[in-house]
Amino acid sequence: MDLALGSTARPQDVELRAAAFEFGIEPALLVDPHADLILDANPAACTLLGYDRALLRQTKVSTLHAGQLPALIVFTQAVLDKGAFWTNALTPRHTTGQTLRLEYAGSLVPGDGRALDIAIPQHLEHAAEDELGLVIHLLELRGEEDKIERDCLVQ
């Protein structure tokens, strides 16, 4: 996996980027959009999609998103043009055959003279749960803030 950001990257920087990819808790796919290939997938992505890492590394992106070529092209082209983009229009199939409802965030990563894309898929259901948890936490904090304000007024 080449996550170097140009020829000026220090070896330790490259190692840190590789470790962040490898050990990150968010699923991540390193994609060559021009070759339609998944170059690498971190363990979290393998778990999410149900694929063995070696098999994912041999898989075409268009195969993972069978029947979704127009949406895949729009997403990929937007990442290439804008440097970053997101979509919830792609629904890959898990190895069990189940269609996954995912949100993808993609960003451009320079590498070996060609543009690569790092795609971060996330379950839409999990994203909604995360947002709900954040709202509940903020409401709890607001309640604590109100209590502190009342206590200050009483004194």
Side-chain angles (χ1 to χ4, degrees), residues 92-104:
R93 292 213 178 270
H94 190 274
T95 52
T96 62
Q98 174 190 5
T99 300
L100 299 173
R101 291 188 57 238
L102 302 178
E103 173 182 276
Y104 277 89

Side-chain angles (χ1 to χ4, degrees), residues 5 11 15 18 24 27 55 69 82 103 107 116 121-122 125 134 148:
L5 296 177
E15 289 174 18
L55 183 58
L69 194 55
K82 298 177 181 188
E103 173 182 276
S107 58
L116 303 177
Q122 183 182 38
E125 291 83 7
L134 178 60
I148 291 170

Side-chain angles (χ1 to χ4, degrees), residues 5-144:
L5 296 177
S7 59
T8 60
R10 299 177 308 183
Q12 60 268 35
D13 293 340
V14 174
E15 289 174 18
L16 286 172
R17 287 186 193 102
F21 179 86
E22 187 68 27
F23 299 106
I25 61 170
E26 289 191 2
L29 302 168
L30 184 64
V31 175
D32 182 340
H34 301 290
D36 186 26
L37 288 175
I38 297 171
L39 300 177
D40 204 356
N42 70 358
C46 295
T47 299
L48 174 66
L49 299 169
Y51 284 81
D52 174 76
R53 191 172 193 171
L55 183 58
L56 263 177
R57 287 178 174 162
Q58 299 171 6
T59 302
K60 290 183 175 277
V61 181
S62 57
T63 301
L64 187 64
H65 299 90
Q68 298 183 303
L69 194 55
L72 188 57
I73 290 171
V74 167
F75 175 68
T76 302
Q77 195 60 52
V79 171
L80 292 173
D81 291 345
K82 298 177 181 188
F85 198 69
W86 75 271
T87 185
N88 60 6
L90 294 170
T91 54
R93 292 213 178 270
H94 190 274
T95 52
T96 62
Q98 174 190 5
T99 300
L100 299 173
R101 291 188 57 238
L102 302 178
E103 173 182 276
Y104 277 89
S107 58
L108 201 55
V109 178
D112 290 344
R114 65 182 193 254
L116 303 177
D117 176 19
I118 190 154
I120 310 292
Q122 183 182 38
H123 270 292
L124 285 174
E125 291 83 7
H126 293 159
E129 289 170 6
D130 291 346
E131 287 177 20
L132 179 59
L134 178 60
V135 168
I136 290 170
H137 179 69
L138 290 173
L139 289 172
E140 289 170 348
L141 288 176
R142 179 65 189 166
E144 288 297 315

